[in-house]
Amino acid sequence: MTHTDRTTHTAPSPFVFRAAGPSDGAAVWRLVQATGALEPNSPYCYLLLVTDFGDTCLIAEQAGEVVGVVLGYHPPREPETAFVWQIGVMPVLRGRGLGLRMLQAWMALPANAHCAWVTATVAEDNPASQALFGRLAATHQTRCEVLPHFHAHQFPHEHPAEPLYRIGPLARGVPTHV
């Protein structure tokens, strides 16, 4: 007698990308903890970010759960720049291109859509983020400059230097492929 497996296999639900809001603070803090790769900050810090800078932060959801985040803002002296402070993806979803898709959706948020530059600091010991920002530049067929920014001695504890990745200029309104 043959046993037939009647389990239905369904594809994972699609991702929903949206701007962050005050109700996302706790979920963002939990995601940062779960990544095991991001430098964690206080829950209050994340609540402030998604409340005061929610328009420049992106939440990625799958089946109603927060599975990714891009936390960013516009540096006050550089209004045409969107700065990525942290980007994180749940470990089970890594390696599937979600980081690049999130950055693309983040850049398309109304608050970021006018920006000609994307910047981020990336620790020297973080090859995954270095590659991600290189892919972002390649996708937009533009430069990715790596410039000195935060030096190891500026941190109050042992921490690698964090050069500034500067991507652009970006041709806005031009479709890109992910």
Side-chain angles (χ1 to χ4, degrees):
M1 199 184 306
T2 306
H3 178 268
T4 305
D5 183 5
R6 295 183 189 268
T7 304
T8 304
H9 297 282
T10 59
S13 63
F15 298 104
V16 174
F17 302 113
R18 61 174 176 79
S23 64
D24 295 311
V28 168
W29 180 81
R30 283 192 292 274
L31 179 129
V32 167
Q33 303 301 310
T35 68
L38 294 174
E39 202 167 329
N41 291 276
S42 73
Y44 184 77
C45 177
Y46 293 108
L47 184 57
L48 278 175
L49 279 166
V50 298
T51 300
D52 293 347
F53 299 99
D55 291 345
T56 57
C57 295
L58 180 97
I59 300 293
E61 294 178 322
Q62 185 180 48
E65 297 294 321
V66 175
V67 297
V69 65
V70 180
L71 300 171
Y73 62 90
H74 299 158
R77 292 181 206 94
E78 300 176 51
E80 291 188 357
T81 298
F83 178 80
V84 177
W85 177 54
Q86 286 186 317
I87 180 168
V89 173
M90 290 299 282
V92 299
L93 296 172
R94 288 188 191 141
R96 299 180 188 183
L98 181 57
L100 184 58
R101 289 178 60 196
M102 289 188 332
L103 280 175
Q104 297 281 60
W106 176 76
M107 291 169 53
L109 288 174
N112 294 333
H114 72 282
C115 291
W117 302 92
V118 170
T119 59
T121 61
V122 179
E124 293 177 336
D125 64 352
N126 188 343
S129 287
Q130 293 165 4
L132 175 61
F133 289 107
R135 284 192 305 276
L136 180 65
T139 299
H140 284 269
Q141 299 177 353
T142 193
R143 295 184 313 261
C144 178
E145 295 178 275
V146 180
L147 307 164
H149 195 62
F150 293 132
H151 303 278
H153 72 273
Q154 291 176 285
F155 292 93
H157 53 77
E158 188 173 322
H159 193 289
E162 292 211 13
L164 182 74
Y165 281 60
R166 188 167 192 260
I167 297 133
L170 301 167
R172 303 313 294 221
V174 177
T176 59
H177 304 340
V178 179

